[in-house]
Amino acid sequence: MKKLINHPDDVVTEALRGMEQAHGDILKVNFDPAYIIRKEPKKGKVAIISGGGSGHEPMHGGFVGLGMLDAACPGAVFTSPTPDQMEAATKAVNAGAGVIHLVKNYTGDIMNFQMAADMCASDNIKVESIVIDDDVAVKDSLYTAGRRGVGSTVLTEKIIGASAERGDDLAAVVKYANYCKDNGRSMGMALTSCTLPAVGKPIFEIGDDEIEMGVGIHGEPGRERMKLKTANELVDMMIEPVLSDKGLKNGDEVILMLNGMGGTPLIELYLLYSRAVETAGKKGVKVVRSLVGNYITSLEMQGFSITLMKAGGDILKLWDAPVHTAGLRWGI
Amino acid sequence: MKKLINHPDDVVTEALRGMEQAHGDILKVNFDPAYIIRKEPKKGKVAIISGGGSGHEPMHGGFVGLGMLDAACPGAVFTSPTPDQMEAATKAVNAGAGVIHLVKNYTGDIMNFQMAADMCASDNIKVESIVIDDDVAVKDSLYTAGRRGVGSTVLTEKIIGASAERGDDLAAVVKYANYCKDNGRSMGMALTSCTLPAVGKPIFEIGDDEIEMGVGIHGEPGRERMKLKTANELVDMMIEPVLSDKGLKNGDEVILMLNGMGGTPLIELYLLYSRAVETAGKKGVKVVRSLVGNYITSLEMQGFSITLMKAGGDILKLWDAPVHTAGLRWGI
């Protein structure tokens, strides 16, 4: 195993220390139990918390800060955080206006966030849980009943983060969260596998001329193992189900995230993005905002995912609002 | 070869199209000859141009915009751009206050930027060339007489970009460029090789338990082929020559860039960053600003580099000034 680490047991803690040192103006880290919180909390604000296994950076810790998350709970690599992490993070950022747990649809995350919400309820903290399940690749999966939660989570964190930041109440922020849940769709693919530090070998085997179409962010199987195709063919294969699942149609405006899985060169992501914009355009779907880069990753996996979210109502106003996190920053 | 491309000949053009589509608010692309320019030029400003082979994204095109570069010239992958690209870019952004060519020290880049400067001189455009040669790993290298130019280029682009943006004249911007040239030092290492689209096989072979210490951004050999070590050992081996070459000492303040080579997970970069801050701290060298992420890459290569720049005078003021590019943004 070739990794830039010291010991598999220390990877998450040492990386959290680095995050705090690099972004001490934005965030603070609590190490036991592990959570990342915004450095300067805002009084009376609806608090937004997310979390999940580590190894998907910058998600979620990289999205803690003004205009996005109040707290993130990092689990071990590709492992759900524990209810006590979530409960402690919730208590740390609860400002009395209610708390949202933004959960990606994986069995472990669902179970642990539910336990944490129950624990918080007995502390009289009102928690609303929103489950993101945007991956159109497969219906059920290795670690999931129902669709997996992937790229829409990033867009949702930005949009509801802006809503909470401007002072919307819990009901309003939940409404935006449900909008994002209903209007975001994603699909991914992988050229290569990745290796968990604690395991030491690739999480799946794949041939030199093969790809996994519809892969999950933990390397879960997708729709099909197939031969490598051109970039244009791949984008077209992936964007079609993403567009059609939500019934996106002529005249719709969308936010598009062309996301790298961690090991994909940026030059390839831009090339893929161009095709995605053009193929969506042929269906009359207009890309009005975008992210191109590594936002929800799977360690060093090579591959990419496409996320589209319909930009109705005042979604673009929330998207454009200032954000100041390690992984996303504008307007400030 | 597993790459997300259509045809090797089209990679750069298709990626440029994607950049323009994703960042149309920041930049414009001219396709023949190929160069990227800032969308809204600023009148009477010293113009700053850089360029080099593609495959190192976000450098340089990702640093075109307010507070950084006025133009970037992308060559083919790992290949110098041509003098006619540089001349055309220079003419496009020349605002009458003088032009700086910021050149990384590689034989092809030096030769072509020199030819371009000569061509511009005959058009009565005043060009000052600054050559960055910050890589302390080796004295001469495969494509370089003298030290290679690497990570300091990113920091220099930010700092002199801020100087030009606030209206400094050519002599003042050149002074800051020379400061950056004199005060930046870097060193890199690789776990894995990378594959050029036009070649189709890795640019160098490396064993499953080996690393290349002191690698160049085109996979040029470094100081030593050695067995993989722990992250802490690697950081300490690399930061020592970076600190000592410039004679950084107790009480000095620095900007630190912990840069990924393109295929390294962000979780590992934060872990490495933490050690770098602590090891520098033990020598009394204080990290006062930092970048952690992929800024000067080598396609999908796994590895990292460390760049330190002494932050004397008003360098931090220039560093903190607003910047709005695809790859770096704050304050706006």
Side-chain angles (χ1 to χ4, degrees):
Chain A
M1 173 176 60
K2 263 186 173 175
K3 289 205 171 284
L4 296 163
I5 64 173
N6 293 302
H7 189 282
D9 292 347
D10 301 329
V11 171
V12 173
T13 301
E14 291 177 355
L16 287 174
R17 196 183 305 144
M19 277 207 77
E20 189 171 52
Q21 289 162 329
H23 309 294
D25 55 330
I26 300 174
L27 55 83
K28 290 191 288 193
V29 175
N30 191 79
F31 286 89
D32 188 19
Y35 57 82
I36 302 168
I37 57 170
R38 185 169 160 174
K39 190 183 179 187
E40 289 168 4
K42 191 170 174 179
K43 280 187 187 161
K45 174 185 169 296
V46 172
I48 304 172
I49 301 173
S50 194
S54 293
H56 305 299
E57 291 71 22
M59 189 187 77
H60 297 274
F63 301 135
V64 170
L66 185 149
M68 220 161 162
L69 297 179
D70 294 279
C73 303
V77 176
F78 288 12
T79 303
S80 179
T82 57
D84 69 299
Q85 286 177 264
M86 298 162 181
E87 184 198 19
T90 303
K91 286 184 175 176
V93 300
N94 171 38
V99 177
I100 291 179
H101 284 177
L102 191 67
V103 187
K104 299 192 301 307
N105 191 33
Y106 298 99
T107 306
D109 289 345
I110 294 285
M111 192 172 68
N112 290 356
F113 267 112
Q114 184 56 55
M115 283 180 63
D118 292 345
M119 289 150 77
C120 292
S122 64
D123 298 322
N124 290 315
I125 300 175
K126 185 169 170 59
V127 172
E128 296 271 3
S129 296
I130 306 288
V131 177
I132 300 293
D133 56 351
D134 57 315
D135 189 340
V136 303
V138 292
K139 175 76 186 84
D140 296 304
S141 182
L142 209 51
Y143 311 115
T144 320
R147 289 177 168 186
R148 300 173 299 217
V150 289
S152 275
T153 316
V154 178
L155 277 54
T156 304
E157 290 175 4
K158 171 67 187 84
I159 289 164
I160 71 173
S163 165
E165 193 72 41
R166 74 179 177 191
D168 289 355
D169 66 13
L170 184 62
V173 182
V174 166
K175 199 173 157 192
Y176 285 116
N178 281 318
Y179 174 91
C180 292
K181 175 183 168 69
D182 291 343
N183 284 278
R185 296 289 188 281
S186 299
M187 188 157 158
M189 64 78 66
L191 292 179
T192 63
S193 184
C194 63
T195 296
L196 303 192
V199 178
K201 63 186 178 65
I203 54 176
F204 61 90
E205 295 294 325
I206 188 162
D208 283 346
D209 59 347
E210 285 181 334
I211 62 166
E212 182 68 30
M213 174 55 67
V215 74
I217 58 171
H218 313 98
E220 305 96 318
R223 290 188 169 191
E224 196 180 343
R225 181 66 58 98
M226 55 176 66
K227 297 289 178 195
L228 180 61
K229 302 188 185 308
T230 67
N232 287 353
E233 288 168 331
L234 293 170
V235 167
D236 291 355
M237 285 182 72
M238 290 160 68
I239 204 166
E240 195 285 323
V242 171
L243 284 166
S244 65
D245 190 273
K246 178 60 199 165
L248 288 168
K249 59 183 193 308
N250 190 27
D252 283 340
E253 296 192 332
V254 295
I255 302 170
L256 193 166
M257 179 169 74
L258 197 304
N259 172 65
M261 292 292 194
T264 309
L266 189 52
I267 194 170
E268 296 180 15
L269 299 183
Y270 277 118
L271 177 162
L272 296 160
Y273 173 79
S274 178
R275 180 67 174 194
V277 169
E278 286 160 14
T279 300
K282 280 180 194 158
K283 307 253 180 193
V285 173
K286 191 178 176 194
V287 176
V288 292
R289 296 291 187 279
S290 58
L291 292 178
V292 184
N294 293 315
Y295 294 99
I296 167 172
T297 62
S298 303
L299 296 168
E300 71 279 8
M301 186 185 284
Q302 289 180 42
F304 72 104
S305 62
I306 295 175
T307 297
L308 290 182
M309 187 177 285
K310 189 175 168 180
D314 58 352
I315 292 298
L316 289 183
K317 192 175 167 191
L318 294 168
W319 182 259
D320 292 339
V323 59
H324 185 186
T325 68
L328 215 57
R329 181 173 179 178
W330 55 71
I332 193 164
Chain B
M1 172 176 62
K2 262 187 177 177
K3 287 202 172 286
L4 297 163
I5 64 173
N6 293 302
H7 189 282
D9 293 348
D10 301 328
V11 171
V12 173
T13 301
E14 291 176 353
L16 287 174
R17 197 182 305 144
M19 277 206 77
E20 189 171 51
Q21 289 162 328
H23 309 294
D25 54 330
I26 300 174
L27 54 83
K28 288 191 290 195
V29 175
N30 192 77
F31 286 88
D32 188 17
Y35 58 82
I36 301 167
I37 57 170
R38 185 169 158 173
K39 190 183 180 190
E40 288 169 3
K42 191 171 172 180
K43 281 186 186 163
K45 173 184 171 296
V46 172
I48 304 173
I49 300 172
S50 193
S54 293
H56 306 299
E57 290 70 23
M59 189 187 77
H60 298 276
F63 301 135
V64 170
L66 185 150
M68 220 162 162
L69 297 179
D70 294 280
C73 302
V77 176
F78 289 12
T79 302
S80 179
T82 56
D84 70 299
Q85 287 177 265
M86 299 162 180
E87 184 198 19
T90 304
K91 286 184 176 175
V93 299
N94 171 39
V99 177
I100 290 179
H101 284 177
L102 191 68
V103 187
K104 298 191 304 303
N105 192 32
Y106 298 99
T107 306
D109 289 344
I110 294 286
M111 192 172 68
N112 290 357
F113 266 112
Q114 183 56 54
M115 283 181 63
D118 292 345
M119 289 150 77
C120 291
S122 65
D123 298 322
N124 290 315
I125 301 174
K126 187 170 172 57
V127 173
E128 295 271 4
S129 296
I130 305 288
V131 177
I132 301 293
D133 56 349
D134 57 315
D135 188 342
V136 303
V138 292
K139 175 75 184 84
D140 297 305
S141 181
L142 210 51
Y143 311 116
T144 321
R147 288 177 169 187
R148 299 173 298 217
V150 289
S152 275
T153 315
V154 177
L155 278 52
T156 304
E157 291 176 3
K158 171 66 187 86
I159 289 164
I160 70 172
S163 164
E165 194 72 41
R166 76 179 177 191
D168 289 355
D169 66 12
L170 185 61
V173 184
V174 166
K175 200 174 157 192
Y176 284 116
N178 281 317
Y179 173 91
C180 291
K181 175 184 169 67
D182 291 343
N183 284 279
R185 296 290 189 278
S186 299
M187 190 156 153
M189 64 78 65
L191 291 180
T192 63
S193 185
C194 62
T195 296
L196 304 191
V199 177
K201 63 186 178 62
I203 55 176
F204 62 88
E205 295 295 325
I206 188 161
D208 282 345
D209 60 347
E210 285 181 333
I211 63 164
E212 181 68 30
M213 174 54 68
V215 74
I217 57 171
H218 312 97
E220 306 97 315
R223 289 186 169 191
E224 198 181 340
R225 181 64 59 98
M226 57 176 64
K227 297 289 177 197
L228 180 60
K229 300 186 187 309
T230 67
N232 287 353
E233 288 168 331
L234 292 170
V235 167
D236 291 355
M237 285 184 72
M238 289 161 68
I239 205 167
E240 195 285 321
V242 170
L243 284 166
S244 65
D245 189 274
K246 177 61 198 167
L248 289 169
K249 59 183 192 307
N250 191 25
D252 283 340
E253 297 192 331
V254 296
I255 301 170
L256 192 167
M257 179 169 74
L258 197 306
N259 173 65
M261 291 295 195
T264 309
L266 190 53
I267 194 170
E268 296 180 14
L269 299 182
Y270 278 117
L271 178 162
L272 295 160
Y273 172 79
S274 179
R275 180 66 174 194
V277 168
E278 286 161 13
T279 301
K282 282 182 192 156
K283 307 254 180 190
V285 174
K286 190 177 176 195
V287 176
V288 291
R289 297 290 187 281
S290 59
L291 292 177
V292 184
N294 293 316
Y295 294 99
I296 167 172
T297 61
S298 302
L299 296 169
E300 71 279 8
M301 185 186 283
Q302 289 181 39
F304 72 103
S305 61
I306 296 174
T307 297
L308 290 181
M309 186 178 286
K310 190 176 167 177
D314 58 352
I315 292 299
L316 288 184
K317 192 174 166 191
L318 293 167
W319 183 260
D320 291 339
V323 60
H324 186 186
T325 69
L328 216 59
R329 180 171 181 180
W330 56 72
I332 192 164

